[in-house]
């Protein structure tokens, strides 16, 4: 009887350990980046964040459920970003800003004054947000990844497209 009880306890411990291992592997698989460094997969919910915009107001992603959202990760030193911003302004923002749509530039780890100058230089009117420490960037992609990608989310904040810029 002692052996049966011991065997039963061991099998319960084994099952608990197996369950913990499987949950851990599932979490790791969920958070793994793809070959481009993207952490959020098509169909997954957008990680929520709050960011300070250069006009001093705050932008909270989850406050925009019901809108299609494009996040444009950018920086003043990114040549691809500088090239794409006028196109985003003219062809996307100006055409869709009065609809259920939001375009937000997320400036990676630069101070307010730099981002304000960058906004004037690129002549964009869409909101630009500060991302100190690239913490928002790190929610969506490996922090060591290059800039120049713009994830797009449907009106329920599920990822519908993860695009690299190819300008």
């Amino acid at each position: 009887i002692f052996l049966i009880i011991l065997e039963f306890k061991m099998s319960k411990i084994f099952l608990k350990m197996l369950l913990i291992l499987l949950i851990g592997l599932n979490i790791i698989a969920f958070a793994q980046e793809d070959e481009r460094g993207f952490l959020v997969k098509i169909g997954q919910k957008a990680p929520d964040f709050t960011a300070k915009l250069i006009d001093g107001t705050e932008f909270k992603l989850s406050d925009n459920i019901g809108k299609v959202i494009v996040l444009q990760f950018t920086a003043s030193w990114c040549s691809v970003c500088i090239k794409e911003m006028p196109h985003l302004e003219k062809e996307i923002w100006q055409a869709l800003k009065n609809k259920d749509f939001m375009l937000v530039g997320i400036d990676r780890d630069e101070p307010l004054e730099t981002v304000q100058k960058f906004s004037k230089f690129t002549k964009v009117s869409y909101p630009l947000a500060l991302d100190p420490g690239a913490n928002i960037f790190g929610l969506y992609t490996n922090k060591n990844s290059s800039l120049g990608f713009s994830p797009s989310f449907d009106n329920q904040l599920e990822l519908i497209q993860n695009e690299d810029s190819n300008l």
Side-chain angles (χ1 to χ4, degrees), residues 5 16 30-31 35 92 152:
I5 293 171
K16 286 181 183 177
F30 180 78
E35 67 281 353
I92 307 290
S152 303

Side-chain angles (χ1 to χ4, degrees), residues 52-56 107 109-119 128-130 132:
K52 184 178 179 182
L53 299 176
I54 63 171
D55 68 4
D107 192 277
D109 202 22
E110 294 186 302
L112 175 61
E113 299 76 28
T114 301
V115 183
Q116 288 171 327
K117 288 177 187 174
F118 183 47
S119 177
L128 291 178
L130 304 174

Side-chain angles (χ1 to χ4, degrees), residues 140-152:
Y140 292 87
T141 189
N142 180 312
K143 280 189 179 184
N144 295 321
S145 296
S146 63
L147 287 170
F149 85 98
S150 300
S152 303

Side-chain angles (χ1 to χ4, degrees), residues 18-30:
L18 182 60
L19 182 61
I20 290 169
L21 177 65
L22 290 174
I23 290 170
L25 288 174
N26 191 33
I27 289 169
I28 290 169
F30 180 78

